Amino acid sequence: MLFNLTTDELAKKVSLANFVFGALVLAGGLYGFYKTGSIASIASSFVFGNLLMLSIWGSQKPVQNPDSAEKPKILSLAWGFYAATLISVVLLIFFVIRLMGGAGAMPGVPIIILSAAAIFLNVAVIHGQNTEAATLSTNNG
């Protein structure tokens, strides 16, 4: 596993990183509004920052069916990592296009770097969860 962490340990760290990334996006939008009066900056940062921060609730350990007398089956994977990945992809594409269009390096480059890191880490967690789910289903079924 990545960095010699179990999937659960990595998931906890990545969900916290998603929360911090969301807070940074929100803070950046507030700063952009303060500096330039940009309503688009504060509105988009409010939406994307809060969605990233809320993804922590969907990043919990997969749910197992407690009522089943049979072997435990996974009902769902943690959707928060999928949501955070999608949001990070949208941010990455937006800021790459904006940077290519001649916008300044701030806040584009830091958001591009953080988005790419978030995508990598979230996909690592998703892959680990899918691998564990496949192993459980093979062993139980």
Side-chain angles (χ1 to χ4, degrees), residues 52-137:
L52 279 166
M53 290 189 292
L54 289 172
S55 74
I56 198 167
W57 278 283
S59 301
Q60 304 303 314
K61 188 173 179 163
V63 178
Q64 293 189 346
N65 188 350
D67 298 329
S68 176
E70 301 172 11
K71 300 170 191 148
K73 294 181 182 175
I74 291 183
L75 299 176
S76 67
L77 294 174
W79 57 266
F81 298 109
Y82 291 93
T85 302
L86 178 63
I87 295 162
S88 298
V89 167
V90 169
L91 287 170
L92 178 73
I93 291 170
F94 175 79
F95 280 100
V96 164
I97 291 171
R98 190 168 177 257
L99 190 63
M100 291 172 58
M106 285 300 286
V109 172
I111 292 293
I112 290 168
I113 293 168
L114 290 172
S115 294
I119 292 165
F120 174 77
L121 292 172
N122 281 295
V123 168
V125 171
I126 291 167
H127 174 72
Q129 287 182 342
N130 286 336
T131 303
E132 284 183 3
T135 303
L136 267 177
S137 121

Side-chain angles (χ1 to χ4, degrees), residues 25-72:
V25 168
L26 187 57
L30 291 170
Y31 181 73
F33 177 73
Y34 172 75
K35 287 292 270 186
T36 65
S38 169
I39 299 296
S41 176
I42 197 167
S44 62
S45 73
F46 181 80
V47 170
F48 289 107
N50 280 314
L51 286 174
L52 279 166
M53 290 189 292
L54 289 172
S55 74
I56 198 167
W57 278 283
S59 301
Q60 304 303 314
K61 188 173 179 163
V63 178
Q64 293 189 346
N65 188 350
D67 298 329
S68 176
E70 301 172 11
K71 300 170 191 148

